[in-house]
Amino acid sequence: MTIPSPAGPQNEGPQNVAPQNATSQNVAPENAAPHNEGPRPAAPRPAVPRSGGPGDGPARALQRVTASALGPYQSAVVRIGFAATYLFFLLRELPNRHELYGPDSPWHWDLARQLTNGNEAFSVLMWTDSTVWFEAVYALTLLSAAALLLGWRTRTMSVLFMVGVLSVQNRSIFMGDGGDNVVHLMAIYLVLTRCAQVWSLDARRAARDAQRAAAGLPPLRDIVGPALWVLLGPVLVAATLMGGLGGTWWFPALLWTIWLSAAAWWAVNRYLPHGEPRTLLDVLANLTHNATLAVIMAEVCLIYATAGWYKIQGSRWQDGTALYYPLNLDYFTPWPALSDILGASGLMVMVLTYGTVIVQVAFPFTLFNRRVKNVLLVAMICEHAGIALLLGLPFFSMAMIAADAVFLPTAFLVWLGARATIGGRRLLSGLPGRSRTPGKPGALGLAHGPADPPEAGSVKDGRGGTEEPRLQGGGGGHTLVG
């Protein structure tokens, strides 16, 4: 839905008006006066209201947040980052899954049941203590993380990913760390974002349907989307009737809203693909996406602000020796020799200790200065990479880097995506059966991504697909993300 600007079509002047003193040399032939007539006076130019009035800025801002889902590349990186983080975590803990979250856990199922009844937390693992059920939930969480990473049926997979993350983590809450808390929150936020506009299989399918529409062909009939909706409906009804959705009101409301909205999208796409209801759904989805993106950015700022200000209150951070102690704990030294080298330098320990506090405290105040923000963003990403290497906390670092990615500049992400696409093409072109010539059989087709214009991802599925991303004008990023 596009909001008209204060200067509507009725106030627009002619696009090409000849100057009053124009000669016959610079007048178009069709507008040239006959030789026996004098020069025609120029038509009076109507007064056009100047932009920048009191209501012009808010109108443009409202149009921007309703007409497009902002930060498509940033939201895609957040989606890929958190899905990859939890996927790799589940794969690494695959041999230990029974001891961490399953029937052999020290935090027994009865204890977990008492805790979830007290704090009203949600976990499908609390429905039964069956080992087969635990294996099914663990496998479903792993598969949903992989599908979300690839951007396949992103709306449905984001919901299954959220259910899996909450179920596994709430089963044994004492097994996690700060990174698990971030994944916990972001799994909920991703459900509300349009995070598959670029770099996803959904975007690839949308681009293919757009090509068919340009060729005058109808879009392919979507069967998988309605099938997933039909299969998950009875599960949601049964869980609601049995009281298996936790003790809070917002979680069942969120699941039912998503399930019913999927039906609304299917009906509108099938019967009114070009009508006002379709535009209204787009506006609501864009508003939800943009509001959630703002919440994610505020969440990241809150994490760093609270961490930095709490560090300032500690005596070890004040005297610059805080980093020395974890470098000498066996539990946090996967590379003892490297930790010893770093811990032996008092100057390096002091610089890193004070630098960590300065970066965390200062980052929220630099968001509106793009250059300073980008410098601190690089510093924080390097800091988390160092934590992963020196302290042996790779998944915590991956989660924080994925959260930091919401502030990455759009130009950098577009460049990075283009380089990754070129590298992938070169790598796959060397495989047997792959042609090295673009356009020949075996050449890798590019999904909708940084090399494509945003409009290429906009498609209206006439057969009811609810997962296709939809990009409109102005989706390249906003003030804080570049």
Side-chain angles (χ1 to χ4, degrees):
M1 181 173 66
T2 303
I3 297 177
S5 61
Q10 67 274 12
N11 294 328
E12 293 181 0
Q15 299 299 319
N16 295 314
V17 180
Q20 192 166 2
N21 297 324
T23 61
S24 58
Q25 285 80 7
N26 55 11
V27 177
E30 62 271 16
N31 296 328
H35 293 290
N36 57 352
E37 296 183 10
R40 293 182 181 178
R45 184 186 298 271
V48 179
R50 296 181 178 180
S51 60
D56 193 52
R60 285 201 305 267
L62 182 60
Q63 182 180 5
R64 184 173 176 82
V65 299
T66 56
S68 62
L70 303 177
Y73 295 95
Q74 287 80 6
S75 58
V77 172
V78 171
R79 182 200 87 232
I80 294 171
F82 280 99
T85 298
Y86 211 66
L87 174 63
F88 294 152
F89 172 78
L90 294 177
L91 290 175
R92 190 194 71 170
E93 301 300 344
L94 194 62
N96 308 313
R97 63 189 184 279
H98 287 178
E99 289 76 15
L100 288 176
Y101 306 106
D104 299 332
S105 174
W107 188 250
H108 196 263
W109 187 85
D110 293 332
L111 295 175
R113 181 76 173 181
Q114 295 178 25
L115 181 61
T116 54
N117 287 338
N119 60 14
E120 300 181 339
F122 164 78
S123 176
V124 298
L125 292 176
M126 294 295 98
W127 293 358
T128 175
D129 60 348
S130 170
T131 303
V132 176
W133 177 245
F134 167 76
E135 296 287 1
V137 172
Y138 196 92
L140 180 63
T141 306
L142 197 151
L143 293 175
S144 64
L148 185 63
L149 172 65
L150 299 175
W152 182 79
R153 301 291 167 178
T154 310
R155 181 64 60 229
T156 303
M157 292 303 119
S158 64
V159 175
L160 295 180
F161 178 74
M162 176 188 67
V163 170
V165 168
L166 298 184
S167 299
V168 173
Q169 290 187 354
N170 291 337
R171 167 62 178 85
S172 300
I173 61 173
F174 301 108
M175 300 295 179
D177 55 21
D180 293 299
N181 293 334
V182 177
V183 174
H184 189 106
L185 293 172
M186 294 300 174
I188 300 174
Y189 296 153
L190 285 175
V191 174
L192 303 175
T193 62
R194 309 185 86 172
C195 55
Q197 301 173 99
V198 296
W199 300 338
S200 67
L201 295 180
D202 288 345
R204 187 186 185 117
R205 186 175 68 254
R208 186 167 57 246
D209 287 343
Q211 293 176 355
R212 291 177 58 87
L217 300 175
L220 297 175
R221 185 178 181 85
D222 183 15
I223 301 177
V224 178
L228 290 173
W229 181 83
V230 171
L231 290 175
L232 294 176
V235 177
L236 181 58
V237 173
T240 303
L241 295 178
M242 293 188 304
L245 298 180
T248 60
W249 64 268
W250 65 267
F251 190 73
L254 176 63
L255 294 179
W256 276 104
T257 300
I258 294 172
W259 190 74
L260 293 175
S261 66
W265 276 94
W266 179 87
V268 169
N269 282 331
R270 184 175 181 86
Y271 299 107
L272 295 170
H274 305 288
E276 288 295 330
R278 181 64 165 83
T279 303
L280 176 61
L281 290 178
D282 262 329
V283 169
L284 295 177
N286 290 334
L287 285 173
T288 304
H289 167 92
N290 296 331
T292 306
L293 199 63
V295 171
I296 292 175
M297 293 190 293
E299 188 79 36
V300 175
C301 292
L302 183 63
I303 290 173
Y304 284 119
T306 53
W309 286 105
Y310 270 111
K311 286 181 175 67
I312 289 178
Q313 303 175 36
S315 60
R316 295 295 177 262
W317 291 96
Q318 293 175 6
D319 59 26
T321 61
L323 185 62
Y324 173 82
Y325 299 98
L327 290 176
N328 288 273
L329 294 176
D330 293 338
Y331 185 77
F332 291 107
T333 53
W335 311 97
L338 185 59
S339 298
D340 291 341
I341 294 174
L342 183 60
S345 173
L347 177 61
M348 185 62 67
V349 169
M350 183 185 67
V351 170
L352 292 178
T353 301
Y354 286 149
T356 299
V357 176
I358 292 173
V359 168
Q360 291 182 351
V361 172
F363 179 74
F365 299 99
T366 64
L367 293 183
F368 294 97
N369 190 318
R370 186 171 302 179
R371 293 183 179 179
V372 179
K373 181 261 295 182
N374 291 338
V375 171
L376 293 186
L377 193 59
V378 172
M380 288 192 302
I381 292 176
C382 293
E383 172 193 338
H384 292 303
I387 291 174
L389 178 64
L390 296 174
L391 303 183
L393 298 172
F395 300 110
F396 166 79
S397 299
M398 288 181 64
M400 291 308 303
I401 292 175
D404 294 340
V406 73
F407 294 105
L408 288 175
T410 301
F412 169 75
L413 294 177
V414 171
W415 173 85
L416 186 64
R419 299 286 79 74
T421 301
I422 294 174
R425 282 179 169 177
R426 291 177 178 175
L427 179 63
L428 294 180
S429 64
L431 298 178
R434 297 277 183 175
S435 172
R436 296 179 180 271
T437 304
K440 298 296 182 181
L444 179 64
L446 176 64
H448 175 61
D452 300 317
E455 292 79 7
S458 177
V459 63
K460 297 179 180 179
D461 187 358
R463 292 296 182 267
T466 60
E467 307 298 329
E468 284 74 5
R470 183 178 174 86
L471 271 178
Q472 299 180 7
H478 50 95
T479 304
L480 300 184
V481 297

